[in-house]
């Protein structure tokens, strides 16, 4: 399961914003990689394989929509658009291209950090091969056990298969 040890790629052309984001993310325990333009961002996304990308739309060389489209051809890495563009058209286009969230500048840092944590948890919570969680329900696959609010129940082989399918397609 990914948590605060995740690596976040920040693709932002404004140096002050990029460095401030990196500083605050590292203070929270995340590792960061930084890119100042679209080409560098796309190259780093492909070579470093970060756990999450914070992507500005207004970038030199390639805009954020192009990068998002290119990454979605080969990757499911979570992408949060962080931009000054506040139009509904830009937000809708970002979502259609595969962005996981859309945050407009200026943003509240604590809310952005919460969104990052939520996206990382949602995307990577099922990567643990023995445990899956949906809401307050946890399934321990190795023990064939389902737990809800402290109450546990053993599952048969067929119940485990059904629950596993339901958890994967929540």
């Amino acid at each position: 399961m990914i948590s605060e040890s995740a690596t976040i790629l920040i693709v932002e052309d404004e140096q002050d914003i990029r460095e401030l984001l990196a500083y605050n993310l590292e203070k929270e325990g995340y590792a960061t990689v930084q890119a100042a333009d679209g080409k560098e961002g796309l190259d780093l996304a492909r070579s470093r394989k970060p756990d999450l990308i914070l992507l500005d739309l207004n970038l030199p060389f390639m805009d954020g929509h192009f990068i998002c489209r290119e990454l979605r051809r080969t990757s499911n890495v979570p992408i949060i658009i962080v931009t000054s563009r506040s139009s509904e058209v830009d937000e809708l286009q970002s979502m259609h291209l595969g962005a996981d969230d859309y945050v407009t500048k200026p943003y509240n840092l604590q809310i952005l950090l919460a969104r990052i944590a939520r996206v990382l948890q949602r995307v990577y919570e099922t990567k643990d091969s023995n445990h899956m969680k949906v809401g307050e329900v946890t399934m321990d696959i190795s023990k064939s056990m389902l737990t809800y609010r402290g109450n546990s129940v053993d599952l048969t082989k067929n119940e485990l298969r059904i629950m596993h399918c339901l958890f994967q397609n929540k």
Side-chain angles (χ1 to χ4, degrees):
M1 182 182 276
I2 296 276
S3 63
E4 292 173 347
S5 62
T7 299
I8 298 175
L9 170 59
I10 303 165
V11 186
E12 168 64 61
D13 62 325
E14 293 185 42
Q15 183 177 352
D16 293 342
I17 294 173
R18 189 176 61 248
E19 289 176 355
L20 185 61
L21 263 173
Y23 171 79
N24 284 294
L25 288 167
E26 289 167 6
K27 205 167 82 173
E28 292 293 316
Y30 297 107
T32 62
V33 179
Q34 300 178 39
D37 62 60
K39 183 181 179 332
E40 182 184 19
L42 187 57
D43 290 344
L44 284 172
R46 289 176 171 158
S47 65
R48 299 289 297 271
K49 305 215 183 301
D51 299 303
L52 183 135
I53 299 172
L54 295 177
L55 180 62
D56 190 8
L57 293 180
N58 301 319
L59 296 166
F61 305 117
M62 303 174 191
D63 78 350
H65 284 144
F66 179 82
I67 294 168
C68 193
R69 183 181 311 111
E70 287 300 303
L71 288 173
R72 283 296 171 252
R73 292 177 191 221
T74 58
S75 173
N76 287 321
V77 63
I79 299 171
I80 298 177
I81 303 294
V82 182
T83 185
S84 57
R85 293 190 196 175
S86 59
S87 80
E88 291 176 354
V89 172
D90 283 317
E91 185 172 356
L92 187 60
Q93 183 178 4
S94 297
M95 295 302 162
H96 281 296
L97 291 173
D100 295 271
D101 204 346
Y102 192 96
V103 178
T104 56
K105 298 175 192 172
Y107 51 82
N108 177 300
L109 179 63
Q110 294 306 312
I111 291 173
L112 178 61
L113 290 171
R115 287 174 181 252
I116 290 168
R118 186 197 74 215
V119 169
L120 286 170
Q121 181 183 20
R122 178 181 52 79
V123 171
Y124 295 105
E125 73 182 357
T126 60
K127 297 296 183 197
D128 180 351
S129 61
N130 290 321
H131 293 87
M132 297 177 83
K133 185 172 182 173
V134 175
E136 294 182 58
V137 181
T138 304
M139 181 170 55
D140 185 335
I141 297 168
S142 63
K143 294 180 181 177
S144 295
M145 185 178 293
L146 199 64
T147 304
Y148 175 73
R149 293 186 177 176
N151 298 316
S152 298
V153 62
D154 292 326
L155 302 172
T156 66
K157 188 184 289 186
N158 285 337
E159 289 170 334
L160 180 63
R161 287 182 186 151
I162 291 168
M163 292 306 297
H164 188 264
C165 182
L166 290 172
F167 272 59
Q168 285 184 319
N169 296 290
K170 60 184 173 198

